[in-house]
Amino acid sequence: MESKSFRFLFSFIIIAFLLHHTWTHLPYAPPPDLTTLIDCATNSHWCTSKNRFQSKQPTVTKEPGATISHRSRCHESAVPRHPLDPLTVLEFNKVRSILSFHALFNSSNNYAFHSVVLEEPDKDLVRKWEKGQPLFPRIASVVARANGVSHVLTVNLETDEVNVRNTAPLTGYPTMTIEDMTSSSWAPLSDAEFNHTIIQRGVNLDDLACLPISLGWFGKKEENRRLIKVQCYSMKDTANFYMKPIEGLTVLLDMDTKEVVEISDTGRSIPIPKATNTDYRFSEQKKLQQELKLINPISIEQPKGPSFIIEDEHLVKWANWEFHLKPDPRAGVVISRAKVRDLDGEVMRDVMYKGFTSELFVPYMDPTDAWYFKTYMDAGAYGFGLQAMPLDSLNDCPRNAYYMDVVFAAGDGVPYVRSNMICVFDRYAGDIGWRHAESPITGMEVRSSPLSSIKIEK
Ligand SMILES: *[C@@H]1O[C@H](CO)[C@@H](O)[C@H](O)[C@H]1NC(C)=O
Ligand SMILES: *[C@@H]1O[C@H](CO)[C@@H](O)[C@H](O)[C@H]1NC(C)=O
């Protein structure tokens, strides 16, 4: 029975998330006018030119046929169709245009938008909303800094009304913008003492890779400044620069002025590891390549296509389930309004209103000078969505996967598109990770697999 076999399939949502560590294709400075849309998939120079890492990356040659066959989406004219749909290009541009007249932003260029996302309508309203009904007024939630002060605002896209929510002085600092992160990798090089320190360590400045490490507040002298500690690595002879840290060297950087505030260099006696024979990439392993005959490509067949359908870009329907799926700069992926129809029932039953990964906290717990501040909050400081990388067809997601693009706002509010950042596909639930077996004494196999219950059509 067809419907029976569905029981054994699970839909999986995958987002390529990445740590704070992958720095290729960063959107950097936005174009000057409101109408140009940055499309990072076209390798626009806005997305690739400004980081030090790009030029060192090997070019990956794709397997033939590994192209994504989804219809190209016209983001410029996209409209929201569900109350929870993310802001569109038109809406981002409208937010930016409304705010450009606001008193906080109209008289200086000293501001940045650290987050521009949909302010979701009230849960009660969303729960009652049905397809075909008009959407609620679209409102953007904005976290911005202007002249050194953080603000949380809402912008009503229907009435142009801007509401500044400063109920109390805000403490802490918002998520870094991509521009903050990229410029932190360059800024130390404008300091002569920094250059001198690097050269003294025997590292060629052309081989240098510096990254903003975790944010934090470490004492009075850091008050009222947006400071970050930067750590540097040598990229000489390796793509894995993390294995070649310039240990004990910490640069305290002011993210607003891009000035080096302090250099702590306590690790001069610690050698930088050599990269000899450490490249793990197959393309670099000539001996392996000569000796191993590569196995043939694997394809997982779905002769009748995928079992899910996607309505209006964001609504995933699969078997007796449905949910709304959208990208988010901070959380990466947000699943909302997850509902299921019980097999003996008619109505869709609510299972989860909203779900996402709230944080990934990585405290290294090492009190030494170069390590005590390494207490990553990947979602809050860097943004899972901002750091995500495009998914590679047939490498990250199988055939028949559905790919979703993301549209986020850069630091000045200009929207940019990154393609294929989320994919949806079916997967067997009988894979090894799920399998549970009884002991051989019972002879019972406790393993659910469609292969044992479906007749495979030849
Ligand atoms: C900025 O906005 C405020 C408040 O609307 C207004 O009083 C002021 O004249 C504006 N300044 C400029 C330079 O447009
Ligand atoms: C530091 O070195 C970089 C790379 O060689 C160079 O571009 C920069 O001008 C140097 N900075 C100073 C202050 O000399």
Side-chain angles (χ1 to χ4, degrees):
M1 239 168 65
E2 188 87 14
S3 67
K4 221 176 169 185
S5 65
F6 280 138
R7 265 189 324 174
F8 301 110
L9 293 165
F10 270 118
S11 259
F12 262 58
I13 313 301
I14 302 275
I15 177 165
F17 78 76
L18 157 188
L19 316 181
H20 23 260
H21 307 316
T22 307
W23 295 85
T24 51
H25 307 292
L26 296 179
Y28 187 68
D33 69 284
L34 278 181
T35 51
T36 323
L37 183 62
I38 317 170
D39 185 349
C40 294
T42 60
N43 273 334
S44 150
H45 69 283
W46 297 110
C47 304
T48 56
S49 66
K50 300 286 173 120
N51 69 72
R52 269 181 92 71
F53 300 68
Q54 188 69 25
S55 60
K56 302 268 175 182
Q57 295 300 313
T59 34
V60 178
T61 41
K62 292 218 161 154
E63 290 286 317
T67 51
I68 293 168
S69 59
H70 67 51
R71 73 214 134 79
S72 65
R73 300 177 184 103
C74 185
H75 293 287
E76 281 88 342
S77 56
V79 289
R81 282 176 282 192
H82 185 284
L84 299 177
D85 279 358
L87 294 176
T88 63
V89 166
L90 291 169
E91 290 175 326
F92 278 118
N93 282 332
K94 186 148 189 215
V95 170
R96 185 168 177 256
S97 144
I98 294 170
L99 288 179
S100 67
F101 295 107
H102 191 269
L104 280 173
F105 312 104
N106 70 356
S107 54
S108 93
N109 283 330
N110 188 13
Y111 64 84
F113 301 123
H114 290 253
S115 168
V116 183
V117 294
L118 177 76
E119 170 87 353
E120 294 187 357
D122 284 348
K123 180 173 170 181
D124 287 344
L125 294 175
V126 176
R127 279 169 52 108
K128 288 190 198 116
W129 183 87
E130 279 172 32
K131 190 173 167 150
Q133 294 177 345
L135 295 184
F136 308 106
R138 298 277 286 175
I139 298 175
S141 168
V142 177
V143 179
R145 275 171 56 79
N147 296 313
V149 182
S150 302
H151 302 276
V152 180
L153 316 123
T154 53
V155 180
N156 188 317
L157 293 166
E158 246 131 273
T159 62
D160 291 9
E161 189 189 344
V162 179
N163 214 326
V164 182
R165 283 190 191 158
N166 280 7
T167 49
L170 295 168
T171 57
Y173 295 117
T175 303
M176 287 181 278
T177 61
I178 291 284
E179 293 83 346
D180 285 334
M181 302 183 225
T182 315
S183 61
S184 300
S185 69
W186 283 100
L189 288 158
S190 61
D191 186 276
E193 190 196 334
F194 172 79
N195 279 13
H196 184 64
T197 309
I198 296 297
I199 292 163
Q200 273 195 331
R201 289 281 196 121
V203 175
N204 188 328
L205 288 164
D206 290 339
D207 292 327
L208 194 66
C210 297
L211 295 177
I213 309 296
S214 63
L215 296 159
W217 183 87
F218 304 103
K220 264 220 160 317
K221 67 172 183 195
E222 302 195 0
E223 212 142 324
N224 297 323
R225 303 179 83 173
R226 215 160 53 101
L227 302 179
I228 189 146
K229 294 187 171 60
V230 172
Q231 162 141 38
C232 302
Y233 306 82
S234 165
M235 287 189 285
K236 187 165 166 47
D237 303 328
T238 183
N240 179 17
F241 54 84
Y242 289 105
M243 66 158 290
K244 300 190 68 175
I246 304 176
E247 197 56 57
L249 177 69
T250 309
V251 181
L252 185 63
L253 188 78
D254 186 315
M255 277 198 283
D256 291 317
T257 64
K258 319 291 180 212
E259 274 167 357
V260 171
V261 176
E262 196 179 289
I263 298 174
S264 162
D265 189 359
T266 57
R268 284 172 200 231
S269 58
I270 305 172
I272 298 169
K274 294 203 166 43
T276 321
N277 294 332
T278 61
D279 203 320
Y280 54 88
R281 290 168 302 172
F282 188 77
S283 60
E284 297 302 312
Q285 304 208 3
K286 302 284 179 266
K287 187 151 182 280
L288 252 185
Q289 281 187 41
Q290 281 158 11
E291 289 186 4
L292 284 187
K293 281 215 173 352
L294 265 193
I295 53 174
N296 289 327
I298 296 170
S299 166
I300 296 167
E301 295 302 321
Q302 287 187 293
K304 294 182 179 175
S307 312
F308 59 84
I309 53 168
I310 311 274
E311 275 181 16
D312 296 340
E313 303 278 327
H314 293 283
L315 198 66
V316 182
K317 294 188 166 180
W318 170 82
N320 50 340
W321 286 87
E322 69 171 60
F323 55 88
H324 184 273
L325 175 70
K326 69 170 164 186
D328 179 85
R330 177 182 171 126
V333 163
V334 176
I335 293 177
S336 303
R337 297 292 282 128
K339 298 187 256 186
V340 67
R341 183 173 46 73
D342 292 324
L343 292 182
D344 55 359
E346 290 294 313
V347 290
M348 296 300 287
R349 180 163 64 76
D350 289 325
V351 175
M352 179 179 74
Y353 183 74
K354 185 173 181 178
F356 57 89
T357 309
S358 57
E359 191 49 275
L360 179 66
F361 177 44
V362 190
Y364 278 81
M365 309 287 279
D366 181 331
T368 52
D369 198 51
W371 282 83
Y372 72 91
F373 56 89
K374 293 182 181 172
T375 49
Y376 292 101
M377 298 231 189
D378 281 5
Y382 299 86
F384 286 148
L386 295 179
Q387 297 299 314
M389 299 295 290
L391 295 159
D392 196 12
S393 175
L394 301 188
N395 205 344
D396 298 315
C397 318
R399 229 177 282 286
N400 288 324
Y402 170 86
Y403 292 85
M404 200 182 274
D405 300 343
V406 309
V407 184
F408 292 150
D412 70 346
V414 175
Y416 62 91
V417 174
R418 303 199 70 200
S419 303
N420 309 321
M421 303 297 276
I422 297 175
C423 78
V424 181
F425 57 89
D426 298 298
R427 222 190 92 167
Y428 292 133
D431 283 354
I432 198 84
W434 185 87
R435 186 177 171 192
H436 170 78
E438 268 299 335
S439 74
I441 309 169
T442 66
M444 274 165 72
E445 193 191 14
V446 189
R447 175 182 189 176
S448 241
S449 158
L451 298 181
S452 55
S453 61
I454 313 178
K455 259 204 299 187
I456 296 174
E457 288 173 32
K458 292 260 161 70

